[in-house]
Amino acid sequence: MREIKINLSESDIPRQWYNLAADLPSPLHPPLSPDGKPISPDMLAPVFPMNLIEQEASRERWIDIPEEILGILYRWRPTPLRRATHLEEHLKTPAKIYYKDESVSPPGSHKPNTAVAQAWYNKQAGVKRLTTETGAGQWGSALSFACNLLGLECKIYMVRTSYEQKPLRKIMMQVWGGRCVSSPSDETNVGREIRKRMPDTPGSLGIAISEAVEDAVSDKTGRTRYALGSVLNHVMLHQTIIGLEAKKQLEIAGERAPDVVIGCAGGGSNFAGLAFPFTCDKIHGAKIEILPVEPTACPTMTRGEFSYDYGDIACMTPLIAMFTLGHSFIPPAIHAGGLRYHGMAPLVSAAIAQGLMAPRAYDQIKCYEAAMLWARTEGAICAPETSHAIACTIEEAVKAREEGKEKVILFNFSGHGIMDLSGYEKFLSGKLSGYALPEEDLKKSIAAIKNFPKPGPVKGA
Amino acid sequence: MREIKINLSESDIPRQWYNLAADLPSPLHPPLSPDGKPISPDMLAPVFPMNLIEQEASRERWIDIPEEILGILYRWRPTPLRRATHLEEHLKTPAKIYYKDESVSPPGSHKPNTAVAQAWYNKQAGVKRLTTETGAGQWGSALSFACNLLGLECKIYMVRTSYEQKPLRKIMMQVWGGRCVSSPSDETNVGREIRKRMPDTPGSLGIAISEAVEDAVSDKTGRTRYALGSVLNHVMLHQTIIGLEAKKQLEIAGERAPDVVIGCAGGGSNFAGLAFPFTCDKIHGAKIEILPVEPTACPTMTRGEFSYDYGDIACMTPLIAMFTLGHSFIPPAIHAGGLRYHGMAPLVSAAIAQGLMAPRAYDQIKCYEAAMLWARTEGAICAPETSHAIACTIEEAVKAREEGKEKVILFNFSGHGIMDLSGYEKFLSGKLSGYALPEEDLKKSIAAIKNFPKPGPVKGA
């Protein structure tokens, strides 16, 4: 069995990010303030630095990556493109399974691609301290890592259930100088309020975002801003380096364009990073199936509404047009903490609404089965989030076998799972509880947004 | 700051292992049976398969690596040679610091280099099941990983203090199909006996080895053998692929031979793997400082005796000529579990005795300081064992600055520490206890071997 691994040299790294907003057949819907009017850049200034606000609104197709950011990305990029020959053999599939290995960064995932960029832009704007939320801990560690390298302070609100399941993650953040607290915390008004109302809540990304935003905007010295690890346009943008590298690597491998592109999607960033450059090809006529994968426990894309909604539980963010389960929805405490978000990136949501992508949902038992098969064939241990992409990949590879088609499948190995082994232990000992999706809460939280604006045709489109 | 990383292509992988036993100025002392006579291969047959027993005794300089073993090593080899430019800059040293990054294997360390080879040779010999010990858990995970790929069963006795400090490690072994128990266990006679006599013992590698050997030799069906992760000649042999790759990579980097070669040493295998090919050059006239580094809590090389001694607490192994603290010595429960061994590889011991290497010892506070500096400059989080090599590297780089010499320093980054973060947490919170080296026990255990044979001149040398 030949090992197939395609490295790029430093000089082959993409020097521009790709902005899908430039190519979407129907333009993106703008964020709105609660009164229904488009927000102005000034309104976001207490939260983000102006250079990132401009990037968020940009409709330029290609945006230069500053040399200083590339200088830091070189620490682990370009990442390898590998082929899962052992899994292919096990499945007896004619499909070729390629994956982009984003687990090789020091924090262990794709997250530092945008963490480094955001920390750099904030530093350029004079910011000294960043606040953020984290689900599984991948994003919090990545931002700590980036802030350490760029000399910024970092404060992380970590969703309670992950904080308790993954004690090593918070130590990792501390090693890089970040300060991590369990969310809901007693360090913000919204955190204290929620602890009072729901003392046993497992927490959620929606709550942690509210806390981190409150922390940033309540620092009146102006030295603090907030950084988000997913969802926003500029985050998707920074991640496109993944797909742009993968394109060059498939070319080097002598492969045609992929037939299927797969990624797990919580807020959407690792998926978008791989998929957007291929989505551009699809818009221009290529025949590619593009599959974002989510957990059935938090079925934003497969059961949510395409609607304007808040990004956080306390309604501190603008209204954004996205697939959403309602901002008050708190998903069950599944192990894939990074996929427990009620919303989905506006760019991914728009691409789904415009028929460019076809979301899937899997339950966590199926995903752990996929993760175990991966570990025992390919060797590596994947993050619980990544297991969703692998479950879909296996399904597609089996389908290719049944159809007798030599498909090229490409997926994003977004992160390793060696700090998430407690979920594997529960799975192996048969103790992995099926989650109880709170259907009543889901209905209520979706109903609560029924009067919110629905994204219609955009003026001037 | 330019990132310097030298990859080798698959076709550049070394195709032979290097055997230092062929070049040592004075020949290696043979293992003895308790009656003082050299042991015969037959006596080892219940423990190891004959192909590895032959390799253990080989004095051939170059030994071919079977193609099938290379086929598995390709999954993560060749490993990168990297330069620590950010640490250099921080230290303002004129030295160039290169390191071989063995943390990139799926189990996270150099250990699978020999795990794969041993599992393969055992399988060739018809063995179906392997037993072993593990300290920090790196070796146990590596053998589970290898056994899974080759279809063997695997049973691991993990030193109690590590078993408790590192719960994720045992899950990792389970994911790859290995069965891991805390040692001393109640599954062997020696384990039960020690639990009775020392109920609160933190355990030791010496105890765990006794258990694993008893397990293997008491299986009368002949389907079980024992595998050791360090110390033995054939283990050192399998690891030399590290140093052989590094030599090619330094050449590609346009670098002269290193002035200083550094590795942490518990049983000696990662150190030997990097250092032996350079030790060969030193024997043939090159001027190289070769520095094995150990913890002051288990000062085998710096305070032990060069003597014949047993490799395990229950005296089940042959007598081997090595630096030793006495086989009954139980070191304090420092975080670098992989360095808690009373003995040292006979090949490393002989090279020290013959003046080819100069051991150093550091305490764990100094090592965690080094690990933190590494994490905050280079970004990666190192294993507590590896931090000993980094502490020595920093000392040498500072010395180069003081002497104004542009030295080339090469060390082995033997493993990552992201499953060992609990030690970092204790360090960061100021709770890392200084260890209490049991000086009285040390004296007693060394005194207990005073009548053991001392390695003298070897007949025919």
Side-chain angles (χ1 to χ4, degrees):
Chain A
M1 183 59 58
R2 202 156 74 84
E3 290 300 317
I4 296 170
K5 176 175 168 181
I6 294 121
N7 286 317
L8 284 181
S9 69
E10 202 177 286
S11 56
D12 285 327
I13 205 169
R15 308 188 83 80
Q16 296 183 307
W17 290 303
Y18 169 68
N19 186 3
L20 181 65
D23 285 313
L24 275 180
S26 303
L28 213 51
H29 297 85
L32 306 178
S33 70
D35 62 10
K37 290 183 189 149
I39 53 157
S40 68
D42 284 357
M43 296 166 72
L44 290 173
V47 183
F48 299 111
M50 200 49 74
N51 49 14
L52 285 176
I53 294 171
E54 284 163 14
Q55 209 167 63
E56 182 66 18
S58 171
R59 294 298 176 265
E60 291 294 314
R61 179 170 293 113
W62 296 102
I63 293 177
D64 288 345
I65 309 178
E67 277 301 322
E68 295 88 338
I69 292 178
L70 284 174
I72 299 178
L73 297 182
Y74 288 146
R75 284 171 175 250
W76 72 96
R77 301 206 75 83
T79 62
L81 179 78
R82 307 187 66 179
R83 191 168 146 197
T85 47
H86 309 283
L87 178 62
E88 287 172 17
E89 188 181 54
H90 177 88
L91 296 175
K92 298 186 172 52
T93 178
K96 297 182 192 171
I97 301 173
Y98 286 93
Y99 62 102
K100 190 71 171 151
D101 189 358
E102 291 294 306
S103 75
V104 300
S105 72
S109 80
H110 66 292
K111 291 289 188 189
N113 296 330
T114 185
V116 164
Q118 290 190 53
W120 187 84
Y121 282 111
N122 271 283
K123 189 177 183 180
Q124 288 298 107
V127 174
K128 308 291 182 200
R129 176 175 176 270
L130 287 175
T131 65
T132 197
E133 77 298 327
T134 197
Q138 300 269 24
W139 167 244
S141 348
L143 194 66
S144 294
F145 169 78
C147 284
N148 169 59
L149 295 179
L150 286 155
L152 303 180
E153 289 172 54
C154 185
K155 166 81 172 283
I156 305 106
Y157 294 85
M158 184 170 186
V159 174
R160 184 188 280 172
T161 179
S162 295
Y163 188 88
E164 286 164 5
Q165 277 170 8
K166 303 178 187 187
L168 298 188
R169 275 282 170 199
K170 62 174 182 281
I171 311 174
M172 183 179 245
M173 296 179 218
Q174 285 166 8
V175 167
W176 286 319
R179 195 165 89 73
C180 175
V181 296
S182 175
S183 167
S185 77
D186 59 5
E187 304 192 12
T188 63
N189 291 328
V190 62
R192 284 183 290 267
E193 184 57 32
I194 287 168
R195 282 159 73 110
K196 212 185 296 167
R197 276 180 19 226
M198 301 185 278
D200 299 323
T201 180
S204 74
L205 280 166
I207 296 171
I209 292 174
S210 291
E211 289 206 89
V213 172
E214 179 187 322
D215 182 328
V217 301
S218 61
D219 178 354
K220 297 305 176 197
T221 67
R223 63 192 289 279
T224 303
R225 289 293 181 284
Y226 163 74
L228 184 63
S230 193
V231 180
L232 297 177
N233 301 342
H234 66 271
V235 180
M236 306 296 123
L237 180 80
H238 301 155
Q239 293 292 359
T240 57
I241 196 166
I242 301 171
L244 294 167
E245 283 180 9
K247 273 191 154 185
K248 288 193 192 186
Q249 287 163 314
L250 281 174
E251 215 173 282
I252 291 171
E255 217 52 82
R256 65 168 190 279
D259 301 290
V260 189
V261 175
I262 296 166
C264 62
S269 80
N270 94 75
F271 164 74
L274 180 68
F276 280 6
F278 297 99
T279 310
C280 172
D281 296 347
K282 183 165 182 167
I283 291 168
H284 294 96
K287 204 173 160 296
I288 310 176
E289 282 188 277
I290 303 179
L291 311 175
V293 185
E294 67 187 3
T296 46
C298 187
T300 312
M301 299 176 288
T302 52
R303 295 183 57 195
E305 301 270 318
F306 187 46
S307 169
Y308 271 99
D309 193 6
Y310 293 102
D312 70 318
I313 200 164
C315 308
M316 300 178 75
T317 72
L319 285 163
I320 46 185
M322 60 180 178
F323 278 89
T324 174
L325 298 168
H327 58 270
S328 66
F329 180 67
I330 296 182
I334 55 168
H335 281 273
L339 305 183
R340 294 177 67 248
Y341 185 58
H342 69 274
M344 179 50 59
L347 276 166
V348 173
S349 297
I352 295 170
Q354 297 180 31
L356 295 164
M357 299 170 176
R360 301 236 178 124
Y362 298 104
D363 70 62
Q364 71 176 347
I365 298 286
K366 185 180 173 104
C367 293
Y368 272 104
E369 285 167 355
M372 283 299 299
L373 180 57
W374 184 267
R376 294 198 174 176
T377 53
E378 290 299 317
I381 294 173
C382 71
E385 291 80 12
T386 310
S387 72
H388 290 69
I390 295 175
C392 183
T393 296
I394 291 171
E395 199 166 274
E396 286 297 307
V398 169
K399 194 174 126 195
R401 181 184 69 210
E402 287 163 359
E403 298 175 347
K405 285 188 184 158
E406 201 195 87
K407 287 187 180 175
V408 175
I409 300 172
L410 171 66
F411 82 90
N412 202 4
F413 192 90
S414 54
H416 67 63
I418 58 185
M419 299 177 81
D420 308 279
L421 280 159
S422 59
Y424 282 86
E425 183 175 40
K426 287 204 182 125
F427 175 76
L428 286 168
S429 58
K431 285 180 201 147
L432 194 66
S433 49
Y435 57 85
L437 184 65
E439 294 278 357
E440 276 311 306
D441 293 358
L442 176 57
K443 270 184 211 156
K444 260 190 241 167
S445 69
I446 291 183
I449 60 167
K450 74 171 190 297
N451 294 323
F452 282 35
K454 299 299 163 221
V458 174
K459 245 187 266 178
Chain B
M1 181 62 56
R2 202 157 73 83
E3 291 300 317
I4 296 170
K5 175 173 170 183
I6 294 120
N7 286 317
L8 283 181
S9 69
E10 204 177 285
S11 56
D12 285 327
I13 205 169
R15 308 189 84 80
Q16 296 183 307
W17 291 302
Y18 168 68
N19 186 3
L20 181 65
D23 285 313
L24 275 180
S26 304
L28 212 50
H29 297 86
L32 306 177
S33 71
D35 62 10
K37 290 185 187 143
I39 53 158
S40 68
D42 285 356
M43 295 166 73
L44 291 173
V47 184
F48 300 111
M50 200 49 75
N51 49 14
L52 285 177
I53 294 171
E54 284 162 13
Q55 209 169 62
E56 182 67 16
S58 171
R59 295 299 176 264
E60 291 294 314
R61 179 170 292 112
W62 295 102
I63 294 176
D64 288 344
I65 310 178
E67 277 301 321
E68 294 89 338
I69 292 177
L70 284 175
I72 300 177
L73 297 183
Y74 288 145
R75 284 172 175 248
W76 71 96
R77 302 206 73 86
T79 62
L81 180 76
R82 307 187 65 179
R83 191 168 148 198
T85 47
H86 309 282
L87 178 62
E88 288 172 17
E89 188 181 52
H90 177 89
L91 297 174
K92 298 184 173 53
T93 178
K96 295 182 192 170
I97 301 173
Y98 286 93
Y99 62 101
K100 189 72 171 153
D101 189 358
E102 291 293 307
S103 75
V104 300
S105 72
S109 80
H110 65 293
K111 291 290 188 188
N113 296 330
T114 185
V116 165
Q118 291 189 52
W120 187 84
Y121 281 111
N122 271 284
K123 188 176 183 179
Q124 288 298 107
V127 174
K128 308 290 183 204
R129 175 174 176 269
L130 287 175
T131 66
T132 198
E133 78 296 327
T134 196
Q138 300 269 26
W139 167 244
S141 346
L143 194 66
S144 294
F145 169 78
C147 284
N148 169 60
L149 295 179
L150 286 154
L152 303 181
E153 288 172 55
C154 185
K155 165 83 172 281
I156 304 108
Y157 294 85
M158 185 170 187
V159 175
R160 184 187 281 171
T161 178
S162 295
Y163 188 89
E164 286 163 4
Q165 277 170 7
K166 303 178 186 186
L168 298 189
R169 273 283 169 200
K170 63 173 181 283
I171 309 174
M172 183 180 244
M173 296 178 219
Q174 286 167 7
V175 167
W176 286 319
R179 196 166 87 75
C180 174
V181 295
S182 176
S183 166
S185 77
D186 59 5
E187 305 193 11
T188 64
N189 292 327
V190 62
R192 285 184 289 267
E193 184 58 32
I194 288 168
R195 283 159 73 109
K196 212 185 298 168
R197 277 182 15 228
M198 301 186 278
D200 299 324
T201 181
S204 73
L205 280 166
I207 295 170
I209 291 173
S210 291
E211 290 205 89
V213 172
E214 180 188 320
D215 182 328
V217 301
S218 61
D219 178 355
K220 297 306 176 197
T221 67
R223 62 193 289 279
T224 303
R225 290 292 182 282
Y226 164 74
L228 185 61
S230 192
V231 179
L232 296 176
N233 301 342
H234 66 270
V235 180
M236 307 295 124
L237 180 79
H238 301 155
Q239 294 293 359
T240 57
I241 196 165
I242 302 172
L244 294 167
E245 284 180 8
K247 273 191 153 185
K248 288 193 192 186
Q249 287 163 312
L250 281 175
E251 216 173 282
I252 291 170
E255 217 51 81
R256 64 168 191 279
D259 301 289
V260 189
V261 174
I262 296 166
C264 63
S269 80
N270 94 75
F271 164 74
L274 180 69
F276 280 5
F278 296 99
T279 310
C280 172
D281 295 346
K282 183 166 182 167
I283 291 168
H284 293 96
K287 204 172 160 298
I288 309 177
E289 282 188 276
I290 302 179
L291 311 176
V293 185
E294 67 187 3
T296 45
C298 188
T300 311
M301 299 176 290
T302 51
R303 295 183 58 193
E305 301 268 319
F306 188 46
S307 170
Y308 271 98
D309 193 7
Y310 293 103
D312 71 319
I313 200 163
C315 309
M316 299 178 76
T317 73
L319 285 162
I320 45 185
M322 61 179 179
F323 278 90
T324 173
L325 299 168
H327 57 271
S328 66
F329 180 68
I330 296 181
I334 55 168
H335 281 274
L339 305 182
R340 294 178 67 248
Y341 186 57
H342 70 275
M344 179 49 60
L347 276 165
V348 173
S349 297
I352 295 170
Q354 297 179 32
L356 295 164
M357 297 170 177
R360 302 234 178 125
Y362 299 102
D363 69 62
Q364 71 176 345
I365 299 286
K366 186 181 171 103
C367 294
Y368 272 105
E369 285 167 355
M372 283 299 299
L373 180 57
W374 184 268
R376 294 198 173 175
T377 53
E378 290 300 317
I381 293 173
C382 72
E385 292 79 14
T386 310
S387 72
H388 291 70
I390 295 175
C392 183
T393 296
I394 291 171
E395 200 166 274
E396 286 297 307
V398 168
K399 194 173 126 196
R401 181 183 69 208
E402 287 163 359
E403 297 176 348
K405 284 187 185 158
E406 201 195 87
K407 287 186 180 175
V408 175
I409 301 172
L410 171 66
F411 82 91
N412 202 3
F413 193 90
S414 54
H416 67 64
I418 58 184
M419 298 177 80
D420 309 279
L421 280 159
S422 59
Y424 282 85
E425 183 175 39
K426 287 204 181 127
F427 174 77
L428 286 168
S429 58
K431 284 182 202 147
L432 194 66
S433 49
Y435 57 87
L437 185 65
E439 293 279 356
E440 276 311 305
D441 294 357
L442 177 57
K443 271 184 212 157
K444 258 188 240 167
S445 70
I446 291 183
I449 60 167
K450 74 171 190 295
N451 294 323
F452 283 34
K454 298 300 164 221
V458 175
K459 246 187 262 178

